[in-house]
Amino acid sequence: MLITDVEVEGYGRVDVRLGGGRVVGIGRPGARRGDVDGRGGALLVGLHDHHVHLAALGAEAASVRVGPAEAGDRDGLVGALRSGPPGEWVRAVGYHESVAGELDRWVLDDFAPDRPVRVQHRSGALWVWNSAALRAAGLDGGGLGGDGGDGRFWREDERLRGFTPPVRLDLRGVGARAAAYGITGFTNADPHPGQDLPELLSVLPQRLVVMGIGDAPVKFLLDDATLPTPGELAASVAAVRPRPVAVHCVTRVQLLVTLLALEETGPVAGDRIEHGSVIPAETMPWLARLGVTVVTQPHFPVERGREYATDVDPDDQAHLYRCRSLAEAGIPLAAGTDAPYGSADPWAVMRAAVERSGGEAVARRAALDLFAGEPQRPYRVRRLAVGSVADLFLLHVPLQEALDLMSADVVRATFVGGRRITPPE
């Protein structure tokens, strides 16, 4: 494939030839007509979403969103849960207590008594089922999670899956929307992926890294209520070496346990902190010395600012989802959308990164680079060059204009291995 008249960093306006899944030539514009006329738009390495939950994202098409932005309040939640035909299962996602307070089976019974309802908390960690759902699944009275029958199931996704009707996953839609964003690759961050997950996700046109499968990082999911000691976590990490680990850290105590464990085992290339929701300033030199990459979500303080203002301990407010301060401390940094628990649009994440307050805003090019890292080594920013993998996206406009706009509207075409995965114009 020949892409003519494109802007490539370090080369200016050039033609780019692709072959065998790679960039095989970058040179001065010639007279030959290309397969794609770039019209002066920038050609860049494709975006990689370094932290996403693809099966859950695919299930959104069969779900009702009931978060603060969608349901708004109690009446909005009730209306959403009752919107389908009586008797049919309702899968609701994105819930936060600011909508209608704490949920349990009896609250949901009052909201929607005539159909099986299950509601997932915005964090993805909690499902709440009403009585009709528990009866339909043969779980009335609790027992599955030992939760006393209140319908609240914490981190029980794997076990609950067999008790619900199959959910249609719109993975083709996920792939098409991602291609329109310029995404050429995903890192799926589920903590306990089934061995069949790569096959399930193979319908996506993007490249895939699936945590826990092959040589991908092994995911460790930490919760304060069941937190291991540093020694216990170190033993678990040592058991999977030499593979890198990706440790879910959303509280300061989880971060401290992880750092102590990595100090004991010794870090390896590719070790990651997922989220890094709370990173106290005094831990940053430690992180930098270990060389562990932080894969963060700088959009969460923007998307969830109202709730964070009341939910997050005041002592932690200044340490939420650091961005610029990590980079300035020499800590390897990348970003993931965490979709569907955050926006699936990486451009929205970039905008949030450049608009952050509290000294955490980054430059526009640095925001783009949060999604330009190598799939297995997110801290290594890729650049288009002869010999590089032809995972690329083409813009309607030059790079500087795209950085000024910071919107998916600038994306014109996306290529994986030199094959176009967006519809032709």
Side-chain angles (χ1 to χ4, degrees), residues 234 237-238 241 245 259-269 271 290 292:
V237 170
R241 289 302 197 212
V245 296
L259 293 178
L260 287 165
L262 291 176
E263 188 78 67
E264 181 174 336
T265 61
V268 302
D271 280 345
L290 289 173
V292 181

Side-chain angles (χ1 to χ4, degrees), residues 255-320:
L255 178 66
L256 290 172
V257 166
T258 299
L259 293 178
L260 287 165
L262 291 176
E263 188 78 67
E264 181 174 336
T265 61
V268 302
D271 280 345
R272 304 159 47 135
I273 300 293
E274 303 302 310
H275 309 301
S277 306
V278 181
I279 299 182
E282 60 269 21
T283 66
M284 290 199 289
W286 194 0
L287 269 168
R289 179 169 55 80
L290 289 173
V292 181
T293 299
V294 175
V295 179
T296 187
Q297 287 75 46
H299 53 313
F300 278 4
V302 176
E303 292 182 359
R304 307 177 177 184
R306 185 182 68 179
E307 293 81 22
Y308 281 175
T310 56
D311 293 354
V312 176
D313 189 300
D315 290 341
D316 290 338
Q317 294 281 349
H319 311 303
L320 284 173

